Amino acid sequence: MHYRTLGRTGVQVSTLVLGAMNFGKIGRTTQDEATAIVDAALEGGINLIDTADRYSDGESEELVGKAIAGRRDDIVLATKAGMPMGTERNHQGSSRRWLGTELDNSLRRLDVDHVDLYQIHRWDPSTSDEETLSALTDLQRAGKIRYFGSSTFPAYRIVQAQWAARENHLSRYVTEQPSYSILQRGIETHVLPVTEQYGLGVLAWSPLASGWLSGAIREGQEISTNRSVILPERFDLTIPANRARLDAVEQLATVAEEAGLTMIQLALGFVTAHPAVTSAIIGPRTLEHLHSQLAAADTVLSADVLDAIDEIVAPGVDLAAHEKQDAPPALLDPSLRRR
């Protein structure tokens, strides 16, 4: 396992992060299974665990909390808030009212007195940067969080938040958690140049592109992954974007085979090769998944392999741009672009 400094925090983190989204009902993972995965991840050198209140409606945090009991100080613990938690309209977003309440809920579920990294799960257009940053700064000063970051923020919102922190003499986001993989390279155009400019740590989620790059999806084979059951539209080959992904996967499989790599090694090695990326977040549902991903921990791709990848999916290109979750609201809601 390799380790890198998380932005400018001085905290050393593994280049692979254990993501706990599949813990609980989403991945049908029991406590014993979650604990076994955490045990194996720590033994394999992973020292950062990332979860969120939203994952299985808090169950993921509960499973993580039990799994790390007795070894909290050896783990960099990250969670997130901001996505809806139930139907109550104020149980979401990044207002001071909600963040203060939900952080206490997360600490209770995790059974800890603080988290190392608290992340805003998505940009909340209804709440000002000053409001959110002020609340996060107060939570940091209270000792409940060590650092805070953003997740899936558009580049211009990352810049705006950095400006607001400086203008209002508040603590700033020190990390960004974007979606990034060989098949979804759009953040190379705007987000990664901004994170480099401001010295932010980058924790990339979905480096295996929802399983497309796991080796389990190939031409002529039935697609039967867990994610394809949950989100069938992302794997419907009558949709042009999905067809383009499968075509790219077939070409990438040849590159991997010629380099003596698995598809997982190729995919994770690509993400961690970018100088702006600190770590890639893996989300194993089983021990078998974890071990196949840990095998990529020390993968370093040669320039020839990286060049071959660029020929298949050009830098800055998203093969499924419609799945991006960082689009400005006016692109998604026609009423916001009409006078």
Side-chain angles (χ1 to χ4, degrees):
M1 185 66 67
H2 298 163
Y3 299 86
R4 295 171 180 168
T5 304
L6 186 61
R8 295 174 178 168
T9 67
V11 177
Q12 298 293 301
V13 297
S14 48
T15 51
L16 295 183
V17 172
L18 178 61
M21 188 181 76
N22 279 317
F23 288 10
K25 64 183 179 183
I26 291 178
R28 305 186 302 279
T29 309
T30 66
Q31 181 65 67
D32 287 345
E33 290 168 330
T35 299
I37 290 171
V38 169
D39 289 345
L42 297 181
E43 184 177 344
I46 288 176
N47 73 340
L48 198 166
I49 298 177
D50 177 78
T51 183
D53 59 352
R54 174 74 168 181
Y55 298 161
S56 295
D57 298 323
E59 187 182 3
S60 172
E61 290 181 323
E62 293 174 354
L63 296 181
V64 167
K66 290 182 174 67
I68 66 172
R71 46 190 174 182
R72 168 69 183 90
D73 292 343
D74 298 329
I75 296 166
V76 180
L77 182 60
T79 192
K80 299 182 283 293
M83 302 287 275
M85 292 292 287
T87 58
E88 161 50 45
R89 66 186 63 199
N90 285 314
H91 289 185
Q92 62 182 308
S94 58
S95 68
R96 171 181 289 274
R97 180 180 187 273
W98 176 237
L99 291 180
T101 297
E102 188 59 358
L103 176 59
D104 285 342
N105 291 336
S106 288
L107 294 178
R108 172 180 50 77
R109 289 189 289 259
L110 289 162
D111 194 24
V112 297
D113 61 5
H114 75 280
V115 294
D116 297 297
L117 180 63
Y118 198 48
Q119 301 155 105
I120 301 302
H121 212 151
R122 296 290 185 272
W123 170 54
D124 175 11
S126 65
T127 305
S128 71
D129 289 306
E130 182 181 1
E131 162 91 359
T132 301
L133 292 168
S134 176
L136 291 169
T137 299
D138 286 347
L139 293 171
Q140 184 182 53
R141 290 171 178 167
K144 295 182 176 183
I145 59 178
R146 297 292 186 255
Y147 307 99
F148 50 85
S150 56
S151 177
T152 321
F153 274 32
Y156 77 98
R157 295 309 316 175
I158 297 173
V159 173
Q160 179 65 19
Q162 294 289 316
W163 178 88
R166 181 179 299 177
E167 182 74 8
N168 294 286
H169 306 288
L170 299 168
S171 295
R172 68 187 188 102
Y173 294 124
V174 299
T175 60
E176 162 60 15
Q177 188 178 129
S179 172
Y180 184 46
S181 72
I182 294 175
L183 304 182
Q184 295 286 80
R185 301 183 61 173
I187 65 166
E188 295 172 346
T189 303
H190 301 294
V191 171
L192 292 184
V194 166
T195 60
E196 285 188 290
Q197 175 70 31
Y198 286 100
L200 301 182
V202 172
L203 307 173
W205 61 269
S206 200
L208 299 182
S210 297
W212 279 99
L213 298 173
S214 68
I217 299 176
R218 295 296 302 274
E219 184 74 66
Q221 297 180 6
E222 182 183 358
I223 300 176
S224 58
T225 62
N226 187 61
R227 191 59 61 88
S228 69
V229 174
I230 298 172
L231 298 168
E233 68 281 358
R234 292 195 179 187
F235 301 88
D236 181 350
L237 295 181
T238 65
I239 297 174
N242 295 336
R243 185 70 245 177
R245 281 193 278 208
L246 185 58
D247 291 343
V249 165
E250 288 301 305
Q251 296 177 67
L252 291 167
T254 300
V255 173
E257 183 178 359
E258 292 176 350
L261 301 169
T262 66
M263 283 290 285
I264 289 174
Q265 288 174 316
L266 185 77
L268 295 180
F270 167 83
V271 169
T272 56
H274 197 292
V277 173
T278 310
S279 307
I281 301 174
I282 57 174
R285 191 170 56 85
T286 67
L287 270 175
E288 181 183 2
H289 292 163
L290 174 66
H291 289 308
S292 66
Q293 293 160 15
L294 281 176
D298 59 355
T299 299
V300 178
L301 302 185
S302 68
D304 288 346
V305 170
L306 291 169
D307 289 343
I309 291 172
D310 287 347
E311 290 296 318
I312 297 168
V313 181
V317 170
D318 289 318
L319 292 189
H322 62 286
E323 292 177 5
K324 299 290 285 185
Q325 299 181 43
D326 60 357
L331 294 184
L332 306 176
D333 183 352
S335 69
L336 297 178
R337 56 180 187 264
R338 305 282 190 268
R339 288 190 180 277

